[in-house]
Amino acid sequence: MLPAVCIAALGVIIAANPFGSATASQDLGQQASQANASPQIQHVILISVDGLRPEALLPPLVDSHPALKQFTQGAWTAQARCDPDISVTLPNHADMITGRLTAGEQGHGWVGNTDPPSRAMGGTLHAKREKYIYSIFDVAHDEGLQTALIAGKWKFALFEQSYGVDVGAVDTMAPDYGKDKVDCFICTHHPMDETLQQIAFLHSADGNKKRSFSFLHFGAPDAAGHGTGWDLADGSPYRQSLLVIDKAIGELISAINKSPTLHRRVAIVLTADHGGGVPFISHIDPEAAINFTIPFCVWSPTYQSPVDLYSINMNCRHQPAVSERFTVGKLPPIRNADAANTCLKLLGLPAIPDSTVNAAQELRLTKP
Ligand SMILES: [Zn+2]
């Protein structure tokens, strides 16, 4: 079973192993289980830019963001929504990882937004709900993919504690890839470090002839917003942070395109946990439009033709008015929680067991 790589780049190495190597039998099993997957897409990255307002992808700001601009050349919307009940970081990332909303009987239930308590003290999504809450890491790993969680905030240890060494669910499907669903967990505040780690992970998986799923979280815009506000004026710290993130994502795309084995074989879903600005140096009001409005974009070799995601999903999603979190009595909006099962769809893999958002992988990524 693949060992975990847990490098806490906040200065402490918790555990460090190679990215893992596949055995011949695992490779054969992987190929068999992926026979129906897209022949092109070998690797999917879910990028969450913490506190990313959709204006970053719209004129005029997008003209300063060449990397983000590429995400407007595929299926995307600037009118996606975060969780309907809560607009803070950790619950919204739990939405993205589990394909569930936070509240309700089927919700993952994690409302905390600080560093989680230790695993023994209840710091897992399963302890919160007193049952195993499946994630995208379970599905991808059990299907033989290599998996990574690269985060810009230490509180994401919640997901390593929920799906890491010895705490994930038993893999009941042969071959058995084990209970550690997160092969690589890295936490660093530096966006370019994150990108370099992401590129190294992709090359490692590729070199091992493994497909992969990565969750890549950038924290810089949120940090800038909390410092001096979600200020869209030229030269503001928030605007500067967007340039930093754009450069980091641009480096990633460039590395993918330069690699003969990765080029046209990687898809990226990009979204955010929340926007920000109400109150000005925060985003805690879930009813404020600038907090709940986020982008949702799919960048892939297969789907790279500009199209409004709502226009091709009118049978299953409704675009709310800009002031609405959702429209009462209508279909749900596109949410960041749609991301998990979208990523699995891109990989040709089934939805997360017991997930409730995009559970039928109904969100279309191309025109009918
Ligand atoms: Zn924040």
Side-chain angles (χ1 to χ4, degrees), residues 13-363:
I13 295 178
I14 296 174
N17 293 300
F19 286 119
S21 58
T23 64
S25 63
Q26 283 172 334
D27 273 344
L28 286 173
Q30 179 193 6
Q31 285 164 13
S33 71
Q34 291 163 4
N36 295 324
S38 160
Q40 282 188 305
I41 297 175
Q42 301 295 311
H43 309 276
V44 169
I45 306 168
L46 171 50
I47 297 180
S48 171
V49 182
D50 207 311
L52 180 66
R53 295 244 308 244
E55 288 92 332
L57 288 92
L58 293 168
L61 270 58
V62 73
D63 293 328
S64 305
H65 305 147
L68 290 176
K69 192 167 190 170
Q70 295 198 43
F71 290 86
T72 68
Q73 303 306 302
W76 82 290
T77 176
Q79 281 293 323
R81 297 289 184 264
C82 74
D83 187 282
D85 299 303
I86 191 160
S87 56
V88 296
T89 295
L90 213 42
N92 273 278
H93 284 96
D95 285 22
M96 293 181 219
I97 280 170
T98 64
R100 298 169 182 249
L101 299 180
T102 302
E105 193 148 317
Q106 299 304 316
H108 57 75
W110 191 273
V111 296
N113 194 34
T114 54
D115 290 353
S118 69
R119 197 178 279 164
M121 296 300 287
T124 72
L125 292 175
H126 325 303
K128 178 64 88 177
R129 294 310 314 260
E130 298 181 335
K131 63 180 177 185
Y132 193 83
I133 304 292
Y134 288 92
S135 72
I136 187 168
F137 293 113
D138 290 274
V139 178
H141 199 267
D142 289 359
E143 291 276 357
L145 276 66
Q146 277 190 230
T147 56
L149 169 58
I150 301 171
K153 290 178 175 175
W154 182 243
K155 60 180 125 178
F156 281 68
L158 170 66
F159 304 118
E160 168 67 9
Q161 291 180 183
S162 298
Y163 304 108
V165 186
D166 293 336
V167 290
V170 171
D171 179 0
T172 56
M173 194 169 50
D176 179 4
Y177 291 102
K179 292 171 74 176
D180 180 0
K181 313 298 181 185
V182 182
D183 293 317
C184 167
F185 172 51
I186 293 168
C187 183
T188 169
H189 292 313
H190 304 292
M192 198 53 80
D193 285 354
E194 293 185 84
T195 289
L196 295 176
Q197 295 285 359
Q198 177 66 71
I199 293 168
F201 173 78
L202 279 175
H203 283 303
S204 168
D206 203 45
N208 287 334
K209 297 197 171 4
K210 298 278 280 184
R211 302 175 82 212
S212 74
F213 167 74
S214 313
F215 194 106
L216 174 59
H217 162 262
F218 291 111
D222 186 70
H226 285 296
T228 53
W230 266 256
D231 181 358
L232 297 180
D234 281 352
S236 72
Y238 182 73
R239 286 285 301 278
Q240 293 294 332
S241 76
L242 296 178
L243 298 178
V244 169
I245 295 306
D246 190 75
K247 192 158 182 243
I249 294 174
E251 195 71 27
L252 173 60
I253 291 175
S254 169
I256 291 167
N257 288 339
K258 270 193 231 157
S259 162
T261 53
L262 294 176
H263 179 54
R264 296 186 62 79
R265 292 188 173 87
V266 180
I268 301 175
V269 173
L270 181 142
T271 187
D273 49 353
H274 51 73
V278 177
F280 190 53
I281 57 162
S282 190
H283 46 79
I284 53 171
D285 181 352
E287 298 185 16
I290 56 175
N291 291 348
F292 64 60
T293 307
I294 53 171
F296 188 104
C297 315
V298 181
W299 181 91
S300 88
T302 311
Y303 304 126
Q304 205 63 4
S305 168
V307 61
D308 171 15
L309 264 178
Y310 279 105
S311 74
I312 56 173
N313 284 287
M314 293 171 76
N315 62 323
C316 62
R317 297 292 184 276
H318 173 78
Q319 181 172 347
V322 293
S323 60
E324 293 178 326
R325 283 176 288 170
F326 52 86
T327 308
V328 176
K330 297 280 191 182
L331 291 162
I334 293 165
R335 299 189 190 284
N336 50 15
D338 279 299
N341 286 326
T342 295
C343 290
L344 290 169
K345 179 177 182 168
L346 286 162
L347 287 161
L349 301 181
I352 301 166
D354 307 326
S355 60
T356 58
V357 181
N358 201 16
Q361 295 176 309
E362 68 273 14
L363 195 73

